[in-house]
Amino acid sequence: MKPFAIPLSRPDLSERELEAAARSVREGWLSWRAPWVRGFEERFAALCEVPHAVAVSSGTAALHATLLALGIQAGDEVLVPAFTFVAVPAAVRHAGATPVFVDSEPDTWCIDPALVEGAITPRTRGVVLVHQHGYPADVDRVNAIAARHGLWVVEDCAEAHFARHRGRAVGGLCRAGVFSFFANKLISGGEGGAVTTADPELAHQVRLRVNMGATPDAPYDFGVLGHSFRMSGLGAAVLCAQLDRLGEIRARRAEVFTRYDARFEGAPSVQRRPPLPWADPAPWLYSVLLPDRYRRDAAVAALRERGIEGRPFFKLLPDLAPYRGAGAPTGFPCARRLAETGLSLPTFGGLLPETIDRIASIVDEAAAGHHLAGGHA
Ligand SMILES: *Cc1c(COP(=O)(O)O)cnc(C)c1O
């Protein structure tokens, strides 16, 4: 398949990231022993308004290590959204536990707090909520239910770097937060991830598990079973440069959001999430719902014909082969509608206003049914 002229996403990189990567190579600091890995952790924790951050190799590794550090065991159940990225139930399974799916809610596209309590069983140990497509989940309600049942909550912030919930940064709202720095996230080091927490013991337990169980003050005493989930020094160097430019990176993406918003203002068939008084979302991928799956697929095809990458939302997790049978095929009505009608549009700093207008027109027409068979009259 030939690459798209306008891809879904493109990392926002400058001479500053190039210089940081060059320095990493020049000084020979490629691994997580590079001094700026700790520097990155400190700066990232401060931005998330949380005392501790542990830099790791990916968002999935961050989740996996956090679940292990929380002491998850075979037979345990963890509640996860039925609609999100597959890394979430995969990490639960890799940690030896069973993901139990919960439907999403229409306003945030995140886990529906009203359905969490009903999914709890004597085996439930915790909840992984996801700030989906940049929007903070209704954390307070989930935390309150979890507290009543003695469960922990982990927030997956991979798609919502620096979003805010009732004035507080995501990553510090639950027992732990996890982040990904894959190339299509708000800031990136190519690959990478982080675990944030206010709990020093949990941070320590995560740190043990991402570096083969080695204790920092006795590096060859591998006291617990660990993984090799370390962030590279090269990636951390690029991430430090991204933090230097954070204001600029966010502002450039916010401009793209503003332009799409204005273009879709008079498009009743293109559904967006309502602004919520308690939520300050992150400008990750600009995403909309179309009236049905046929119009959504028509929009994807119409964009593709013009060299533009529109990405349909992920399939419903309980429908995927590794998780099939984990829920009734007719269940999860909200998550199913998201999976069938959702579409993410190209979103990156520097995307030209006229390109955004063109994309919006194509999507608007498809949403109104112009691209359906027989709809060209
Ligand atoms: C991207 C993403 C991850 C995983 O990140 P990797 O760094 O690719 O492992 C986890 N959860 C969500 C919600 C994501 O979007």
Side-chain angles (χ1 to χ4, degrees), residues 163-178:
R164 302 181 80 82
H165 171 276
R166 297 186 205 281
R168 294 164 61 208
V170 301
L173 305 175
C174 302
R175 191 68 192 285
V178 298

Side-chain angles (χ1 to χ4, degrees), residues 57-63 84-88 130-133 156-159 178-182 184-185 191-193 284 314:
S57 54
S58 75
T60 311
L63 262 170
T84 190
F85 185 50
V86 70
V88 176
V130 181
H131 303 303
Q132 196 64 46
H133 287 79
D156 181 335
C157 314
E159 302 180 357
V178 298
F179 290 82
S180 162
F181 305 119
F182 182 66
N184 70 8
K185 311 294 184 182
E191 305 283 352
W284 188 53
F314 303 123

Side-chain angles (χ1 to χ4, degrees), residues 342-361:
L343 171 64
S344 293
L345 302 176
T347 314
F348 49 87
L351 185 59
L352 295 175
E354 50 270 33
T355 309
I356 297 172
D357 292 351
R358 201 151 64 86
I359 294 167
S361 300

